[in-house]
Structures are given as structure tokens and as C-alpha cells.
Amino acid sequence: VSHTATSFLLYNGFREAKNIPPYPGPNRMRDCYCTVNLDQEEVFRTKIVEKSLCPFYGEDFYCEIPRSFRHLSFYIFDRDVFRRDSSIGKVAVKKEDLQKYHGKDTWFQLQPVSADSEVQGKVHLELRLSEVITDSGVINHKLATRVLECQGLPIVNGQCDPYAAVSLLGPSRSDAKKTKVKRKTNNPQFEEVFYFEVTRPLSYTKRQFDVEEEDVDKLTLRVDLWNASNLKFGDEFLGGVRVPLRVLGQAGVHDAWYFLQPRENGGKSVKVEELGSLRLNIVYTEDHVFPSEHYTPLRDLLLHSADVGPVSASTAHILGEVCREKQEAAIPLVRLFLHYGKIVPFISAIAHAEINRTQDPNTIFRGNSLTSKCIDETMKLAGMHYLQVTLKPIIDEICTEHKPCEIDPIKLKESENLDTNRENLRHYVDHIFSVITTSGVRCPTVMCDIFFSLRESAATRFQVDPDVRFTAVSSFIFLRFFAPAILSPNLFHLRPHHPDPATSRTLTLISKTIQTLGSLAKSRSACCFFFFFFDALSLSLIALSFLRFMIKRAQGRNRFGMKNFKKRWFRLTNHEFTYHKTKGEGPLCSIPIENILAVERLEEESFRMKNMFQVIQPERALYIQANNCVEARDWIDILTKVSQCNRKRLSTYHPSAYLNGHWLCCKMSADTEPGCTPCTGGLPANIQLDIDGDRETERIYSLFSAYMTKLIKMQEACGSKSVYDGPEQEEYSSFVIDDPQETYKTLKLIVSAVQTLEQQHTKYKRDKFKKTKIGSQ
């Protein structure tokens, strides 16, 4: 089994800090925040907790680690009144030690932060000891030290101009040499060789060579990396390594990579217990991903989950049953189904089953079920761009203006006016609610498809409640999508960091108001307007478009005849897109909505005409010119939305027309040639590209392997339910088993696939251990 990739996942729960040293002044309290760093690169920052020496954070951070690293570091900073941040202390955990703390709440003692201890990167050295015979016949020894390269050096003050200082240290010597400076790189290639005299005969007069041959083992090679600085206080230390010459052994040759180490005695003389401590919960997962064919049995079981009846007997649903937290199962499942384009039928199947088990329409999706976690994760992945274009402008405005919005009289500052604050808050809520309720045409197709399915299932299950088709969806789109993004914009990439406390309070008030509106408790008619995109059209937009002519190019349905341009009336309904010669006549052409495969702009070079778009059908494309750019954009948006549920939608298209026997864009000659450009409608293209299906299947295998005991218990539960119809044993009552026989069949296949992969992993680890060489990269 050949190993193809390794990936790393990190979940960190910031809990709290305690016993932070007080501020040296009359105001002894501190305003503290924490950061997560991969070596010296910051990847996350918590909120600021003001005026506390025992700050509580309660924040979670989840990420995929994109590169190799040596230490996972946590820094705690103090923000002073002049907005200058000073470090208080740090916790640095070596990569190989992360498993010691996996899944445990742990108190870590803060360590002092020192520039000399902040090192990263590695250096590649080659040492060779050779004999040199002089003219007099005396044998001397020389050490050839070759500095080949470094990798992963830190960026210091926005630059890295490294060089290496090489020294041979002994009881009575200290020879030093330097490499050339390599500009603007943190992965320098040096390829320089330095020679050092190791031994000389005792008769030699110079003291620095008075070392006998048997004392070679007392010598040490030191290599320090420095950043060449133009600043007056000198070059910055990047890290160093000491290599005793005894590593040369009998062969006299040594070739190895070394991690750079901190400078000795570089730390400040601070008592560690005086810095306080930090409580963390670290979950670190390392995936070894094999070639795709090894995952075929398990992957096929997962992808066919939506077709299994009942869905509770499917592989994906069983994963949700055995995992301790539904979130564990939801993350890899959603990414896998998104990658293979099967997320909508899967979520529709598990949602339909959950709705049918629900007795009260007011409790639909109120628990942390597999369905709700999967929908949450889908919205995070597919809806990120949607949030950016919808909320980011107004969130930026709120964070920049700093208008007071506090409406709690107890929390009101002396300089603030309650009526003014209330008006500020109302202005922001009106603005945000307006951009949300008019954003339907920008909602990603995959989200619309899922919400459509939820609405239909809820309406069918609770036919006596006319509002359930809206409330089933509003709990997700408002309460679990827009409201959390407003509350914590940094977690949704709408802002780089946590907002300041005053702005955070404003966002909290807005988020709570949006949640209230989304629950339909206060403004049902306003909220129902938001759901116009579930009907896939906006009546006002269609009415506006219907009253105008547009120009269309003849489609060439007849073999002979000119393909000229003519003005026509265009009309759109839920069922068809038609054009007419005059306003009152019947249609000249009717295109059923299910035949629309894509709606995209047409490049101007095709016919030298502006504001053109194309409605792509199975046989041909209809080319249309709108009256202006706004009208063209509106038609593209609304036609995309009414056709978004079509199962044969295209993923690629031709941005230019097919003329004179070839496509103008890609020059291909066949008019049936697949498109050369990804479609812009629907799921963003990067969602497909950024997901590795094999990696997600490997994660799911790891979960099944970790919960193998529960899988066996579930098999036993199926057997007990199949044998007798008596009351279910208490130890099995936590499993949802609608069909014991079908569930047992699936479990047997899962266990077989997991055991096969387990054998492959065991063989890989054994082979890796045999091949590992100390000092290798």
C-alpha cells in the first residue's frame, strides 16, 4: 500500500486563564486575549476580556493544518490603553506531544516569551572528516562542513535575509566562518563548504591547534542562522544547532537534517509560576490518506446512503448514531457528499425521516440531530460567499462607525441618549433585514434545494399548520446562519478579528433582533417575504421584465434560413419561458423550465453586442440581448433561480457563441463539445475543488474504527430486536433502528470495510517505522 498524503486537523477549546500578573500601575487589571500559532504564524485570535486577571473565553477554534509545524503555541497578550499589545506568556506544545493532551481539559503553566526562544525551521548539514598528508609525511585531519539549505525559517519584520555562521568549538579554539546572505527567502539554498583544521602535531607552535587526535570527540560544530538586518541594533537570531563530532563515527561522514534550537540562556529570568496559567482542550487528528481505490468499498456504502430504505439503516446515518457528538460525523459526511454532488438527496432523506418522527411542528429541528448538524455544516461551506456579499458591507459599516446602540438603561453610559441609541439600533436592523430579505437570488443553489426539500417534507407531515413550511426553514437560515454570522463575524470570515466590546454589544443586539424576526414571532409577513426564492421567482421582477422588449437571435431550428436578430416579448412563469411576436399573441417558442440547463452571460466578442446572455438548452442555446446591464443581470438571476432544481444542470458552459464551425472561446469544432468554463450559478466552484473525497473517507474510517465497540453493540441490538418484540434493552435504547435486518446487513459491510483499511494502516505504519532514519527530513 503506497501512502499518498498526510493531513492534520486541529480543534482547540479556549477555556480560561488564571493568576495573570497584575498590571504595574494603579489600575492593576488587564485586557487580555489569546492567539493560536503554528510556530510563529498566528492562525486564530480570541475576543478581548476586559479588566480581569482570570479571563474566561469559552471559545472554540477548528482548522485544517495546511503545512508542517514543530510547535502549536498559545500566547496571551495584554492590550494597554494605547492599543499596544504586550505578550504576557505562552504555552508551546511540541507536535509529537499533542496526543498526550488529546480531548482533555488541561491547565498549562505560562512560559516567558523571549525573542531568542522563538525559533522554527531546520537546516541540512553534511560533515566529512578527511586525512591530509603534509609534505613532511605527517597526517592531519580536516573537517569539511557543507551547509546545503534551510527550510521554514521565520519572517522577521516582514523580511527574511538569512545567512549561516559556522564555528568549530573545542577546549582551546573557536573558528568561525559565514555563508553569503540569501535575500528575500525563508528557504535559502546555501550549498557552501567550510574547512576546519581538526588536529596538528604537538610540535605545532600555535595554541589554537594544540589538540591531539584522540580529543576529536571533544569538538562540536555550531551552526547559527541569522537574519541580516539593516537596523542599527544588529542582526536577528533565527536559531542554531550544535553537532558533536562524535556523530562522524568510524565512517567519518554524517549527512542529516536538524531542527533549529533556541539560544542557550536566551530566556528572561522570570519565575514561571508568576505568569499564570491557561486552560485548553486540544483535539489533534492526523490522517494518513491512501490511494483512492482502497476507499472504494466504504465510500460506495456512504454515497448510497440516500437510496437505502429506511435511511436509518444507511452507513451515513449509522455513523451519526455511533459517534459521541453528531458534529464529529457531520463534518466529514457533508464534505464527502458535497464533493460527489450528493448532499441534497442525502440531507433530504435524513430530514424527511426526522420530520416523520417529530410529533409537534413547533419542535422541528430544535435538537442537535445529525440532520441539523449536516445542514449547519453545509451552510458554512456553501454559504460563505453568500454571507460575504450579503452581510460584509453592513458589518464593516457597523464596526467602522462605532455608533452606540445600547438600549438597556442599566448599561447606558452617562454620555449616551437612550432615544438616539434606539434609533441607531433600529437603523442597523432595518438595513440588515432589508439586505437579507432581498438576497434570495444570491442564495447558493445547494442551500435552496435543501430548504425546498425541508419545506415540502414539513408541509406534507403537518398539513394542518400552514406556517410550518416557513418555520422549518427559518430556524436554519435566520437562527443558525445569519444570526451567528452577525454575532461573531470573525468566525465567518466577515472580519479579521473579534470586534471591540462596544461593537460586539451592538452586534449582539442586532443578532437577537434578527433571531426574533426569524422565529416569525413578531413580524410574520415581513419574514415570509424572505422566502420568495423558494418559489424561485420574484413577481415584481417578472412584471418589470415582461413589459419590455428584448432582442433574441434566431435559434436555427430550421435547417435553412438566416439566424438574424429580432425583437420579441419575453414571459416567464413557474413552468415555462416563452417569447411572443406581439404582447397578446400566443408564444412563438416555449422552453419548459426543466429544459434550462444553465443561464450565463455571453461574451461581447460573439456578436459585437453588449448586455447579452444565453439560456442553454439540451439542443442549443438561446442568445438574448437585454436593454441594459441591470436588466441582463436581473434576467440571469431570476432564470437561474427558477431552474435551480433541475437535476441536469450543467457544471461548465461556453462563454462565447458557436460560429463558423467552431466555438469562439475554446476553438473546438464540435457543437456538442462540453463547456470550457465553470458555470457561475449554483454551488461555488471552489467547494468542489477544495475537498478531497479520499481524505474525508479516511476520516470517516477513523471514526468507525474509534467507535468499533458501539458498532458491535448496535449489531447486538439488531439481533435482539429481530429475535423478539419485547421491550428493548436499556443499553441499546440510544440507537435508532427502524429495520433491524437491513441495519444488520449494513453494519456487517461497514465492519468488513473498516477491518480491511485497518490492516492496510497497520502495514503502512510498520513499513514507515522500518524506513525512518534519524536525521532525515
Side-chain angles (χ1 to χ4, degrees), residues 387 391 394-395 398-399 428 432-433 435-436 478 481-490 492 494-495 499 503-504 506-515:
L387 283 177
L391 289 184
I394 179 63
I395 295 294
I398 293 169
C399 293
Y428 285 144
I432 284 184
F433 194 72
V435 298
I436 290 176
F478 276 107
F481 185 62
F482 282 117
I486 296 167
L487 182 65
S488 303
N490 57 300
F492 292 81
L494 301 178
R495 296 288 296 176
T503 305
S504 182
T506 297
L507 295 175
T508 300
L509 293 170
I510 296 171
S511 178
K512 287 182 177 180
T513 309
I514 293 298
Q515 287 185 49

Side-chain angles (χ1 to χ4, degrees), residues 485-658:
I486 296 167
L487 182 65
S488 303
N490 57 300
L491 299 183
F492 292 81
H493 307 294
L494 301 178
R495 296 288 296 176
H497 300 298
H498 278 278
D500 61 79
T503 305
S504 182
R505 173 63 178 165
T506 297
L507 295 175
T508 300
L509 293 170
I510 296 171
S511 178
K512 287 182 177 180
T513 309
I514 293 298
Q515 287 185 49
T516 304
L517 293 172
S519 66
L520 306 182
K522 300 293 183 185
S523 179
R524 181 166 301 183
S525 59
C527 286
C528 288
F529 173 68
F530 172 73
F531 298 105
F532 78 89
F533 67 81
F534 296 129
D535 294 324
L537 57 90
S538 167
L539 297 177
S540 60
L541 176 59
I542 292 176
L544 173 66
S545 301
F546 183 77
L547 296 175
R548 296 171 183 254
F549 273 120
M550 288 197 295
I551 298 174
K552 67 96 185 177
R553 182 177 185 260
Q555 298 182 73
R557 291 190 300 274
N558 297 325
R559 186 169 183 178
F560 302 101
M562 294 287 291
K563 295 181 182 178
N564 53 357
F565 292 86
K566 294 183 178 178
K567 282 191 174 183
R568 293 288 183 257
W569 287 101
F570 283 83
R571 182 173 182 267
L572 175 65
T573 70
N574 278 326
H575 307 289
E576 60 182 356
F577 180 51
T578 59
Y579 59 80
H580 312 249
K581 189 171 184 178
T582 59
K583 189 174 180 180
E585 290 186 359
L588 295 175
C589 177
S590 174
I591 302 173
I593 295 301
E594 59 266 24
N595 283 359
I596 298 178
L597 306 183
V599 185
E600 299 286 348
R601 290 190 179 276
L602 188 70
E603 290 183 353
E604 189 176 329
E605 65 173 17
S606 298
F607 302 107
R608 301 186 185 280
M609 298 168 65
K610 294 183 177 181
N611 307 321
M612 291 200 71
F613 63 95
Q614 51 183 318
V615 180
I616 304 172
Q617 309 163 69
E619 300 296 327
R620 64 187 67 84
L622 173 63
Y623 300 133
I624 303 172
Q625 183 187 35
N627 292 297
N628 54 61
C629 60
V630 174
E631 188 176 307
R633 178 69 266 171
D634 289 343
W635 273 106
I636 292 172
D637 285 342
I638 200 64
L639 285 167
T640 297
K641 285 303 163 189
V642 297
S643 61
Q644 66 189 0
C645 293
N646 295 348
R647 298 304 173 194
K648 295 184 179 180
R649 285 186 306 245
L650 296 178
S651 58
T652 59
Y653 76 106
H654 292 282
S656 294
Y658 183 81

Side-chain angles (χ1 to χ4, degrees), residues 282-570:
I282 302 170
V283 176
Y284 173 75
T285 305
E286 185 173 314
D287 297 323
H288 298 277
V289 186
F290 292 109
S292 185
E293 60 270 16
H294 296 286
Y295 297 105
T296 301
L298 181 58
R299 182 173 56 240
D300 289 348
L301 284 173
L302 290 160
L303 294 178
H304 285 105
S305 293
D307 305 321
V308 175
V311 72
S312 60
S314 69
T315 304
H317 194 277
I318 288 172
L319 180 66
E321 289 297 296
V322 299
C323 283
R324 183 178 57 187
E325 301 288 343
K326 303 295 184 185
Q327 184 79 359
E328 281 185 297
I331 291 173
L333 283 175
V334 165
R335 294 173 69 86
L336 180 72
F337 282 104
L338 271 174
H339 178 70
Y340 288 100
K342 295 192 174 185
I343 189 66
V344 175
F346 167 63
I347 289 183
S348 298
I350 60 175
H352 183 72
E354 182 174 335
I355 289 172
N356 285 341
R357 288 194 295 267
T358 304
Q359 301 303 316
D360 183 351
N362 295 317
T363 62
I364 287 182
F365 304 126
R366 287 297 186 255
N368 288 322
S369 63
L370 181 64
T371 304
S372 60
K373 290 299 183 183
C374 284
I375 295 176
D376 287 348
E377 193 63 27
T378 302
M379 292 191 298
K380 286 180 184 177
L381 287 171
M384 198 58 68
H385 177 71
Y386 178 37
L387 283 177
Q388 291 280 335
V389 299
T390 304
L391 289 184
K392 193 176 189 321
I394 179 63
I395 295 294
D396 287 341
E397 179 184 328
I398 293 169
C399 293
T400 303
E401 291 181 344
H402 299 291
K403 288 184 178 179
C405 295
E406 183 57 69
I407 54 175
D408 185 345
I410 299 176
K411 296 182 180 180
L412 208 65
K413 296 180 180 178
E414 292 184 3
S415 59
E416 294 177 354
N417 180 275
L418 183 61
D419 292 335
T420 302
N421 288 8
R422 187 183 292 114
E423 187 57 36
N424 290 339
L425 179 61
R426 185 172 133 170
H427 167 73
Y428 285 144
V429 170
D430 284 347
H431 192 171
I432 284 184
F433 194 72
S434 175
V435 298
I436 290 176
T437 55
T438 57
S439 69
V441 293
R442 292 191 294 272
C443 185
T445 301
V446 67
M447 288 173 59
C448 289
D449 289 352
I450 289 171
F451 294 151
F452 180 83
S453 175
L454 297 185
R455 186 187 73 166
E456 295 302 301
S457 292
T460 303
R461 174 72 174 87
F462 300 102
Q463 297 182 13
V464 296
D465 187 342
D467 292 328
V468 71
R469 63 197 191 109
F470 293 129
T471 57
V473 177
S474 66
S475 62
F476 287 106
I477 196 69
F478 276 107
L479 275 63
R480 305 171 85 131
F481 185 62
F482 282 117
I486 296 167
L487 182 65
S488 303
N490 57 300
L491 299 183
F492 292 81
H493 307 294
L494 301 178
R495 296 288 296 176
H497 300 298
H498 278 278
D500 61 79
T503 305
S504 182
R505 173 63 178 165
T506 297
L507 295 175
T508 300
L509 293 170
I510 296 171
S511 178
K512 287 182 177 180
T513 309
I514 293 298
Q515 287 185 49
T516 304
L517 293 172
S519 66
L520 306 182
K522 300 293 183 185
S523 179
R524 181 166 301 183
S525 59
C527 286
C528 288
F529 173 68
F530 172 73
F531 298 105
F532 78 89
F533 67 81
F534 296 129
D535 294 324
L537 57 90
S538 167
L539 297 177
S540 60
L541 176 59
I542 292 176
L544 173 66
S545 301
F546 183 77
L547 296 175
R548 296 171 183 254
F549 273 120
M550 288 197 295
I551 298 174
K552 67 96 185 177
R553 182 177 185 260
Q555 298 182 73
R557 291 190 300 274
N558 297 325
R559 186 169 183 178
F560 302 101
M562 294 287 291
K563 295 181 182 178
N564 53 357
F565 292 86
K566 294 183 178 178
K567 282 191 174 183
R568 293 288 183 257
W569 287 101
F570 283 83

Side-chain angles (χ1 to χ4, degrees), residues 665-689:
C665 43
C666 59
K667 311 303 180 186
M668 301 301 291
S669 57
D671 60 353
T672 57
E673 192 71 30
C676 58
T677 303
C679 288
T680 57
L683 190 67
N686 67 314
I687 296 296
Q688 296 285 347
L689 297 176

Side-chain angles (χ1 to χ4, degrees), residues 70 116-119 237-241 260-266:
R70 289 174 60 187
D116 288 330
S117 68
E118 300 290 289
V119 302
F237 177 73
L238 301 180
V241 62
L260 296 176
Q261 302 298 326
R263 185 152 51 183
E264 292 181 0
N265 301 320

